[in-house]
Amino acid sequence: MRIGIALDYSGGFHQAVDRIVELEKSGLDIAVVAEAYSFDAVSQLGYLAAKTESIELASGVVPLYIRTPSLLAMTAAGLDFVSDGRFRLGIGTSGPQVIEGFHGVEFDAPLGRTREVVEICRKVWRRERLQYAGKHYQIPVPPDRGTGLGKPLQLINHPVRESIPITIAALGPKNVELTAEIAEGWQPVFYLPEKAASVWGEALAAGAAKRDPALGPLDVMVHTSLAIGDNVEERLDWVKPQLALYLGGMGARGRNFYHNLATRYGFGEVADRIQELYLSGRKREATDAVPDELVRGISLVGPRGFVAERLAAFAEAGVTTLLVSPVSADPVESVRHVEELLELRPS
């Protein structure tokens, strides 16, 4: 199992990079930068590429609606270049709250757009003259909608690699099936190992049945919170505000993918309550309503022995890359906890 760091996009980036540089020497495998309605991930990944030497870097994830497929491909090729072939492109649809509410772009056809974006990116990296006639993207613009002048273009630069790994963030059955079919990696959120097979097993199997063997095994990249020690139980409460935000506020009723996931885990009633409280402005009460059982199940927070057991549970459920966010206000402690996890990881 690989161990990596998921950087917090809300602040403290320079300090986090200093910790990554230190952890790189201890065997950290990958660093992932998310993008929501925060600073963009690309500029931060370029900074990381300059500061690190060997670890893999990834976007985790960038919303595919807000950049053209060709720009996504150009950006990934550029980041792969400045990192000497260490970049992985993580993409996802995000959700209506971010795409429509922040970017003003219609959230439509997530499955179709995801497939077409992946296909176009791979054409760009192979430096094919870009012609694509999809349902959602047409390159070049057809004559009846544009000038139709000139021949198709190809990427000017020669990429370091003509096949950059793609990871897709997906939660719903159809999205997960598509990911298992076409991507090198899958990045679910709020991953509960004991429920993973019942929630996603069928979709993963269906996608794997259509998968090109050349893609290799699917890299299951899971994010979790981390705190190791005999007196860290109260840090479960530190994780709850994010869960309350996503289950309660990241989408309207009926359009919240994270709420749907909690329901499929068996927490439907409490998810409804969290959503009701959050959408009515009672965010503190929504946070208090997040159950310890759910937080503990998706996190690595507890004594060393407990964390080792949970780490084994993640591995048994098929997780191949674990992306951690230390739950600590002390940078030294954060580094120590990650180093302990590196010692505990299954071979």
Side-chain angles (χ1 to χ4, degrees):
M1 177 186 286
R2 300 194 306 161
I3 301 294
I5 288 282
L7 277 76
D8 184 359
Y9 48 67
S10 63
F13 180 77
H14 288 95
Q15 294 83 356
V17 171
D18 291 341
R19 293 195 290 274
I20 288 171
V21 170
E22 184 176 350
L23 286 166
E24 183 178 36
K25 301 171 186 176
S26 300
L28 191 72
D29 296 297
I30 183 171
V32 174
V33 180
E35 183 176 279
Y37 41 104
S38 53
F39 289 151
D40 73 288
V42 177
S43 58
Q44 297 178 79
L45 283 160
Y47 183 83
L48 260 174
K51 290 287 187 176
T52 57
E53 297 179 357
S54 60
I55 63 171
E56 188 175 35
L57 306 175
S59 52
V61 301
V62 293
L64 58 85
Y65 284 95
I66 60 175
R67 296 173 175 87
T68 67
S70 297
L71 178 56
L72 274 170
M74 292 163 62
T75 300
L79 286 169
D80 206 43
F81 171 72
V82 298
S83 65
D84 296 321
R86 292 186 284 130
F87 181 67
R88 170 185 289 260
L89 176 62
I91 58 173
T93 60
S94 187
Q97 182 73 13
V98 173
I99 301 305
E100 297 181 353
F102 188 73
H103 293 286
V105 176
E106 184 180 1
F107 186 89
D108 69 334
L111 287 171
R113 288 191 181 276
T114 299
R115 183 183 290 275
E116 292 187 13
V117 164
V118 170
E119 290 176 352
I120 293 167
C121 281
R122 288 174 174 157
K123 282 178 174 287
V124 171
W125 298 330
R126 292 194 297 265
R127 298 191 72 244
E128 297 178 10
R129 291 203 175 273
L130 195 54
Q131 292 180 289
Y132 191 84
K135 181 177 180 181
H136 308 287
Y137 302 101
Q138 296 85 42
I139 307 170
V141 173
D144 61 344
R145 292 198 290 114
T147 63
L149 299 176
K151 64 181 181 181
L153 302 176
Q154 66 183 147
L155 188 68
I156 293 173
N157 307 88
H158 287 259
V160 174
R161 296 179 290 175
E162 68 171 24
S163 180
I164 296 171
I166 295 175
T167 294
I168 299 176
L171 291 179
K174 292 298 183 182
N175 284 333
V176 172
E177 180 178 338
L178 177 67
T179 299
E181 176 190 349
I182 68 172
E184 282 86 355
W186 170 45
Q187 193 172 337
V189 69
F190 305 139
Y191 189 92
L192 185 57
E194 288 77 10
K195 297 287 186 178
S198 62
V199 171
W200 292 303
E202 186 175 331
L204 289 169
K210 296 176 284 186
R211 184 178 181 83
D212 183 347
L215 290 172
L218 185 69
D219 187 4
V220 181
M221 302 175 66
V222 169
H223 175 239
T224 185
S225 299
L226 173 70
I228 304 175
D230 295 329
N231 300 297
V232 296
E233 182 76 9
E234 76 282 353
R235 299 191 197 180
L236 292 173
D237 291 338
W238 297 21
V239 182
K240 291 182 179 182
Q242 184 190 41
L243 272 168
L245 167 63
Y246 277 77
L247 271 60
M250 292 299 280
R253 289 181 177 86
R255 298 191 76 191
N256 185 320
F257 308 133
Y258 312 100
H259 177 282
N260 294 344
L261 176 61
T263 300
R264 296 176 72 195
Y265 279 164
F267 293 91
E269 289 187 13
V270 71
D272 288 344
R273 179 60 176 161
I274 292 168
Q275 186 175 61
E276 175 187 348
L277 291 167
Y278 204 97
L279 293 180
S280 65
R282 298 153 68 185
K283 296 180 182 180
R284 177 66 193 189
E285 291 178 66
T287 299
D288 291 341
V290 176
D292 286 350
E293 179 186 359
L294 176 59
V295 182
R296 189 175 287 109
I298 65 173
S299 304
L300 295 175
V301 176
R304 186 181 175 95
F306 173 80
V307 169
E309 291 175 4
R310 295 306 297 158
L311 195 59
F314 278 100
E316 186 176 351
V319 175
T320 49
T321 299
L322 202 60
L323 306 170
V324 301
S325 292
V327 185
S328 175
D330 181 355
V332 174
E333 182 185 61
S334 295
V335 170
R336 186 175 73 249
H337 287 173
V338 176
E339 289 177 336
E340 284 190 63
L341 189 67
L342 288 168
E343 296 172 359
L344 291 170
R345 67 173 160 181
S347 58

